[in-house]
Structure formats: structure tokens, C-alpha cells
């Protein structure tokens, strides 16, 4: 997703615009796999709700067990979730 590129470049405003546009298109023009990514990245970067991002990514990983994107995003969000809470304990279900 283009929003991820903007995050890597440090352009938060452009990233937020792209994530918002992607989330708008989520149910109309995206594949199921893209819908999972859109939901997860929206929760990760737009709302900051890591629990919802984790829930979306667990479903993504279950639906697409061979997806390296699902695995990577799940690892990133799990680490951020644990860091935010000051623990290394992984939430139930992961």
C-alpha cells in the first residue's frame, strides 16, 4: 500500500491520506486480502487501536496462512502492543 511507503519516508500526513482513501474503498473495490490489510493498517496508523488491529490480523492470518504480509504485520503489531503495555506477554489468541 502506498501509505506504507509514506510511513517509511516519514511523511505522516500523506500516509494518513492514503490510509483513509484505502479504508474508504475497503468494501467496494478491494479483494478480501486487501480488506484485511486496509482494516489492520487503519487501526494501526489512523485510530491507534492495536487490539482491533490484532483482531483483524489474526483473522487475516487464519484466512491466508501462507501470507508473509499477514505474518509480518502481525509481528509488528504484537511487538507494538507489548511495548505499549510494557510487557512481553502476547494477547490471547495469537
Amino acid at each position: 500500500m502506498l501509505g506504507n511507503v509514506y510511513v517509511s519516508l516519514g511523511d505522516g500526513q500523506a500516509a494518513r491520506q492514503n490510509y483513509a482513501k484505502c479504508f474508504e474503498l475497503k468494501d467496494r473495490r478491494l479483494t478480501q486480502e486487501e480488506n484485511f490489510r486496509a482494516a489492520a493498517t487503519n487501526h494501526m496508523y489512523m485510530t491507534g487501536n492495536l487490539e482491533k488491529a490484532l483482531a483483524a490480523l489474526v483473522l487475516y492470518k487464519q484466512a491466508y496462512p501462507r501470507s508473509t504480509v499477514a505474518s509480518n504485520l502481525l509481528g509488528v503489531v504484537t511487538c507494538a502492543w507489548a511495548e505499549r503495555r510494557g510487557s512481553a506477554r502476547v494477547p490471547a489468541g495469537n
Side-chain angles (χ1 to χ4, degrees), residues 13-73:
Q13 183 176 356
R16 282 188 295 280
Q17 289 172 343
N18 279 275
Y19 287 134
K21 182 65 173 177
C22 182
F23 195 70
E24 283 177 31
L25 299 174
K26 184 172 85 68
D27 295 321
R28 294 183 299 193
R29 296 193 179 169
L30 303 179
T31 66
Q32 182 184 16
E33 188 170 7
E34 290 169 333
N35 279 337
F36 282 123
R37 268 189 259 163
T41 55
N42 181 65
H43 293 305
M44 289 165 50
Y45 299 118
M46 298 294 288
T47 68
N49 189 331
L50 296 181
E51 287 82 7
K52 285 188 177 183
L54 278 170
L57 289 168
V58 167
L59 292 175
Y60 181 10
K61 184 68 177 158
Q62 289 172 348
Y64 297 93
R66 293 183 174 204
S67 171
T68 57
V69 173
S71 296
N72 288 338
L73 286 175

Side-chain angles (χ1 to χ4, degrees), residues 70-83:
S71 296
N72 288 338
L73 286 175
L74 189 55
V76 167
V77 174
T78 301
C79 288
W81 186 89
E83 184 177 290

